[in-house]
Amino acid sequence: MTGEPALRFITCGSVDDGKSTLIGRMLYDSAQIFEDQLAALTADSRVHGTQGDRPDLALLVDGLQAEREQGITIDVAYRFFATPRRHFIVADCPGHEQYTRNMATGASTAKLAVILVDARKGLLTQTYRHARIVALMGVKHLVLALNKMDLVAYDATVYARLTAAFQAFAAELGFTRVTAIPLSALEGDNVTAPSGRMAWYGGPTLLGHLEAVEVEGPAAEGAFRLPVQWVNRPSHDFRGYAGRIAAGRVRPGDAVRLLPSGATTRVARLVSPAGDLPEARAGDAVMLTLEDERDVSRGDVLVAADAPCQVADQFEASLVWLSENALVPGRSYRARIHTKAANASVTQLRWRLDVNTGAKLAAKTLDLNEIAEVTLSFDQPIAFEPYAACPDLGAFILVDRQTEETVGAGMIRYALRRADNVHWQALSVDAAARSAALGQTPRCIWLTGLSGAGKSTIASLLEQRLHAEGRHTYVLDGDNVRHGLNRDLGFTPEDRVENIRRVAEVARLMVDAGLVVIVSFISPYQAERDWARSLFAPGRFVEVYVDTPFDVCAERDPKGLYAKAKRGELPNFTGLDSAYEPPATPDVTLDTTALAAEACVERLLRHLGDLA
Amino acid sequence: MTRPPIASPTRHLADLEAEAITLFRECVRPDAKTVLMYSVGKDSSVLLHLARKAFYPAPLPFPLLHVDTGWKFREMYEFRDRTVAALGADLLVHVNEEGLRAGVGPFSHGSAIHTDVMKTEGLKQALDRHGFDLVIGGARRDEERSRAKERIFSVRQPGHRWDPKAQRPELWSLFNLGRLPGQTMRIFPLSNWTEADVWRYILHEGIDVVPLYLAKERPVVRRHGQLILAEDARLPLEPGETPALMKVRFRTLGCWPLTAAVESDAATLAEVVLETLAARMSERQGRLIDHDGAGSMERKKQEGYF
Ligand SMILES: Nc1nc2c(ncn2[C@@H]2O[C@H](COP(=O)(O)OP(=O)(O)O)[C@@H](O)[C@H]2O)c(=O)[nH]1
């Protein structure tokens, strides 16, 4: 095959550094602008432009109408152009609020970054910030585009000073190469053609450099890695495994190992509609078959048998927060790493990176556009590579269970401990045996509702009734847990999450032991309740919404807490200055304004049916 | 020796192909109903070709959906039926029956209403009727300014609304297919392709396309500077207008009264590729709905136009 894949690069700059003008100029000069677009541009330029009668090239790349009216770009835009030497895909990243989220997005697929600097203003906080973010995302090639040289009289000393200062700063960021180019996007100097006005500059033009720079492709030389994306079973006699090769090469007959299981076999065929292939390599989307029947599913990784990658469930990682809802340490998020779906939670925030200064700061949570070093715990073993060695096997995203939004993006640095060191004891007495011995079906009955809603009353009545029927029960509530096991926790959102996590884990052990556990906790967040449910086998977890309106609770006020809270003596009080998310789809709703406590328990017992 | 107009595309196309195949494979999930939008145009031909590669030796694991406005070129219908039969694919054709009964058409109602009723509404009807969750389409980011920021997996709100503010950040190739009740997704495997890439791929792979893309003598009338094919008797001729034979082809195919032809001598795929590389007019220029007003495509998208 000839040629090479397109060079994917990112451009970043602050407002008005001339980024749009620069990209517009590259598209224009490489003849990617069609005549009708140019006509539209000329018309637009009179309305929105800043260049009088000259066409404003910046308008070529401004996107959505709302943004154009405000004269800003606020999202990553992708542009395409080609020259006789190379194809290019540009991720154009605005420098406004949300800058980190946008830059991380653009940089995640980029091999090179162009950072714009206004030569008059010199290196600004933003310049350092942009360089740190692209370095963090693993971009190895950097171009410092010193723009608006026309406004500093094409002065060689400005270029020399800024270049030296930047090189000194960037030395520790681990770039393979930093190239500084003096240019004027507006006048076209050193963009696609060398500038006669900067004869003192001996280096390449921006486009010349982009055409020539050698970047790393997918690692065809490394050991074979294929995350399984899809299992193809059209009939009984064909079972293919599809995916895009992350590293190395593969040929029929190669010995491969399946991770996490560790099973080994050999590759039988590389199937394609045009006939079987003799070889495939990093970057190819393949469909292969194995010599032996193996239990392979999406998320498994096929690796060279003699050079497997690691498997672990606890990691040190960098995490970029992408959501307006802050990170809640301890909360379980959906995670996606290569083709694998799992659950993961941040177990520790080691430090937060100040992207402007590079300082490491203490942090309790992470807000939108913040970056931190964290420890991360998955609920199952994951085959992976450190991001620096193989981005395809070391990058992950986190998704909020409630909103389904992508809230975090991260890069694994290394494993904290190998999952293969932890072996669950294969116990001969199992949950089924224990529940049989007790003669009951264990359950977790989870009562949620506001303080004073009546949870404890219902829990205690329910336990009496079950006990009278000969059931083995236990009630977990704030009183017996907060005074002991959770003595160290307060009422901040983070502590509330941890509180529920521990209670749910204890309830799980008790259900495993065969008990009917009644949990009576405010448990204000749906995410934690959903997570708690996920710990149990289907049907074993019963979410009960004790539905009492705030005003009624405040009036009943059995413990005098509402009165205190209203006087401001109880900060973070649920329903007042701390949120309560009512269950969206509870298994049972008990309306205590309509039913007395005894009647509520009757309802519940009917729902539970026969526990024997 | 003349320089090649652009860098050798083979490795570049292979990369785009692998990316698109991977995207197709993301769209088969046990918890989702998937459909491939089939508009009969060149991008659809490329999509079909890629889908076959993605799932081979299995048949396509989802049906094709053609939202028919009733005003497609005759040759498009012929090509559609031929292609689907050869592939053995499962084709769903949807027509907005209410629109049809009301006699909505481009001449009687104008391009905006016709497109809105027969295409945008028709599409929504079809998606709702079948309850599709993942809808694969052929849109590309290079087509139009507002598309440059489109995600590859684009969330649609209940009612198929596209909310530019509610799009998820998309990093690496880790796509988030999570959907709240009522939300669906559009998936664009050709996001990173340009028009030139599409043509070069068609040439390289020998993909069959509707013959209207190749230049031939055809009867056309010139109207407001655009060449409109005199396709059938539904074309109301204005005084003094008589269809003339001209050597023309189409760069994009939609409803025939809304799709202008360009004069061309490119009668083979190779000639089309060369012409595309040298083109000075963008392909959307032939789509008459884009000229309805600045930002009109963006508005159409928010309403659910593909
Ligand atoms: N003198 C001069 N002005 C420039 C240059 N590049 C951009 N500008 C002007 O700087 C302003 C901001 O440019 P624009 O491309 O919109 O900046 P963006 O916000 O980074 O996209 C516009 O008025 C441009 O015309 C340059 O090289 N020299």
Side-chain angles (χ1 to χ4, degrees), chain A residues 183-253:
Chain A
L183 48 86
S184 168
L186 191 64
E187 305 296 337
D189 299 274
N190 284 341
V191 179
T192 55
S195 165
R197 292 177 281 214
M198 289 180 276
W200 46 264
Y201 170 73
T205 63
L206 177 60
L207 192 65
H209 178 66
L210 293 174
E211 285 181 326
V213 62
E214 277 181 32
V215 297
E216 329 45 46
E221 302 320 315
F224 175 63
R225 306 280 184 256
L226 175 69
V228 176
Q229 186 190 11
W230 181 60
V231 179
N232 192 1
R233 293 198 67 179
S235 62
H236 288 300
D237 50 3
F238 185 88
R239 199 194 278 214
Y241 305 102
R244 197 166 185 190
I245 301 176
R249 311 160 180 260
V250 65
R251 290 187 192 86

Side-chain angles (χ1 to χ4, degrees), chain A residues 2 35 59 65 67 78 229, chain B residues 8 22 145 149 280 298:
Chain A
T2 56
E35 274 167 19
L59 292 179
Q65 192 175 27
E67 298 170 3
Y78 294 87
Q229 186 190 11
Chain B
S8 165
T22 305
R145 273 193 292 200
K149 302 181 182 196
R280 297 303 302 152
E298 189 185 332

Side-chain angles (χ1 to χ4, degrees), chain A residues 272-576:
Chain A
S272 105
D276 283 7
L277 307 172
E279 184 190 80
R281 43 167 27 207
D284 292 348
V286 292
M287 172 86 64
L288 55 76
T289 63
L290 299 175
E291 281 184 0
D292 309 291
E293 283 257 316
R294 293 282 177 219
D295 184 15
V296 185
S297 26
R298 181 181 164 103
D300 291 344
V301 182
L302 280 167
V303 298
D306 55 356
C309 63
Q310 295 177 63
V311 175
D313 61 1
Q314 312 261 330
F315 302 96
E316 174 100 2
S318 301
L319 180 64
V320 182
W321 201 249
L322 309 170
S323 167
E324 266 135 34
N325 300 323
L327 163 75
V328 182
R331 174 170 286 181
S332 166
Y333 293 94
R334 292 188 216 286
R336 166 93 199 264
I337 169 164
H338 49 80
T339 55
K340 176 88 184 164
N343 296 314
S345 57
V346 170
T347 43
Q348 199 189 343
L349 266 162
R350 300 175 80 80
W351 38 265
R352 179 168 76 75
L353 176 73
D354 181 332
V355 280
N356 293 333
T357 64
K360 297 174 180 176
L361 309 173
K364 284 225 155 243
T365 180
L366 266 193
D367 286 320
L368 175 62
N369 290 320
E370 292 186 337
I371 296 174
E373 191 79 359
V374 302
T375 59
L376 193 75
S377 169
F378 281 80
D379 67 346
Q380 45 188 300
I382 306 285
F384 79 102
E385 291 265 25
Y387 183 77
C390 182
D392 286 342
L393 291 184
F396 62 91
I397 58 170
L398 298 180
V399 174
D400 183 284
R401 295 171 174 282
Q402 242 43 64
T403 62
E404 298 290 359
E405 292 304 317
T406 306
V407 292
M411 293 142 282
I412 290 180
R413 301 210 166 286
Y414 49 85
L416 290 172
R417 68 186 160 87
R418 299 167 78 98
D420 32 53
N421 296 341
V422 263
H423 289 293
W424 281 95
Q425 289 284 346
L427 297 171
S428 44
V429 180
D430 62 5
R434 282 185 294 263
S435 90
L438 294 179
Q440 63 182 28
T441 315
R443 291 282 168 83
C444 174
I445 302 161
W446 190 284
L447 306 179
T448 170
L450 293 172
S451 174
K455 297 183 299 297
S456 305
T457 312
I458 292 171
S460 127
L461 278 175
L462 177 64
E463 185 173 37
Q464 286 170 25
R465 290 287 300 272
L466 292 171
H467 187 75
E469 288 173 19
R471 301 287 158 236
H472 304 268
T473 58
Y474 196 80
V475 174
L476 287 168
D477 69 17
D479 290 338
N480 61 13
V481 175
R482 278 224 177 251
H483 291 146
L485 176 64
N486 289 357
R487 181 166 56 198
D488 55 328
L489 299 176
F491 291 90
T492 62
E494 294 77 31
D495 282 359
R496 283 174 186 269
V497 168
E498 175 61 12
N499 186 33
I500 297 307
R501 190 190 69 78
R502 291 185 198 172
V503 170
E505 290 285 7
V506 170
R508 167 159 73 163
L509 293 176
M510 288 185 165
V511 166
D512 201 43
L515 300 184
V516 175
V517 188
I518 304 163
V519 176
S520 160
F521 267 80
I522 298 177
S523 43
Y525 308 131
Q526 186 69 45
E528 276 63 50
R529 295 191 300 261
D530 285 351
W531 174 77
R533 180 189 294 275
S534 76
L535 297 179
F536 296 88
R540 288 288 158 89
F541 181 89
V542 183
E543 186 179 20
V544 181
Y545 178 28
V546 182
D547 183 6
T548 312
F550 179 83
D551 295 341
V552 178
C553 294
E555 194 163 312
R556 287 183 193 161
D557 204 7
K559 298 182 196 160
L561 296 177
Y562 282 82
K564 258 187 164 174
K566 283 181 179 164
R567 290 198 300 273
E569 292 163 21
L570 278 183
N572 297 323
F573 193 75
T574 306
L576 210 60

Side-chain angles (χ1 to χ4, degrees), chain A residues 1-6 8 31 33-37 44 59-60 62-65 67-68 73-80 82-87 89 101 104-105 108-109 137 229-230 232 234 238 242-244 271-273 283-287 298 322 336 338 387 395-397 399 402-406 409-411, chain B residues 3-12 14-16 18-19 21-23 25-26 28-29 52-59 61 141-143 145-146 148-151 162 164-166 168-176 178-180 183 191-195 197 200 251 276 279-282 284-285 294-295 298-299:
Chain A
M1 261 192 247
T2 56
E4 53 178 353
R8 299 187 189 221
I33 303 303
F34 295 113
E35 274 167 19
D36 56 326
Q37 291 174 340
D44 270 7
L59 292 179
L60 280 174
D62 274 345
L64 303 179
Q65 192 175 27
E67 298 170 3
R68 281 166 65 198
T73 38
I74 53 169
D75 212 334
V76 187
Y78 294 87
R79 327 257 172 226
F80 308 84
T83 70
R85 296 183 59 188
R86 211 172 208 175
H87 296 260
I89 300 179
R101 173 162 83 179
T105 301
S108 71
T109 49
M137 298 302 294
Q229 186 190 11
W230 181 60
N232 192 1
F238 185 88
R244 197 166 185 190
V271 180
S272 105
D284 292 348
V286 292
M287 172 86 64
R298 181 181 164 103
L322 309 170
R336 166 93 199 264
H338 49 80
Y387 183 77
F396 62 91
I397 58 170
V399 174
Q402 242 43 64
T403 62
E404 298 290 359
E405 292 304 317
T406 306
M411 293 142 282
Chain B
R3 288 211 301 173
I6 48 123
S8 165
T10 328
R11 201 59 227 170
H12 170 58
D15 185 50
L16 291 175
E19 180 181 79
I21 285 175
T22 305
L23 292 167
R25 289 170 176 168
E26 278 300 277
V28 275
R29 296 294 177 93
R52 203 173 81 84
K53 283 199 177 189
F55 303 113
Y56 180 86
R141 285 169 171 158
D142 82 322
E143 277 177 78
R145 273 193 292 200
S146 78
K149 302 181 182 196
E150 180 62 291
R151 305 297 192 268
W162 179 70
K165 297 245 173 344
R168 299 168 180 169
E170 229 166 45
L171 291 96
W172 301 289
S173 41
L174 298 177
F175 301 102
N176 172 6
R179 298 173 307 280
L180 295 176
Q183 285 183 339
S191 287
N192 288 326
W193 297 51
T194 62
E195 189 194 8
D197 294 329
R200 279 186 305 238
R251 290 182 60 188
T276 305
R280 297 303 302 152
M281 284 286 179
S282 75
R284 288 209 150 254
Q285 216 248 344
E298 189 185 332
R299 266 203 314 281

Side-chain angles (χ1 to χ4, degrees), chain B residues 24 36 46-56 60-62:
Chain B
F24 266 111
L36 173 59
V46 169
L47 280 181
L48 264 189
H49 185 82
L50 289 165
R52 203 173 81 84
K53 283 199 177 189
F55 303 113
Y56 180 86
L60 294 193
F62 38 66

Side-chain angles (χ1 to χ4, degrees), chain A residues 14 16-21 50-51 147-148 150-151 184-186:
Chain A
S14 305
D16 283 346
D17 283 348
K19 186 165 54 62
S20 307
T21 311
T50 58
Q51 290 301 311
N147 190 30
K148 307 199 184 181
D150 53 314
L151 299 180
S184 168
L186 191 64

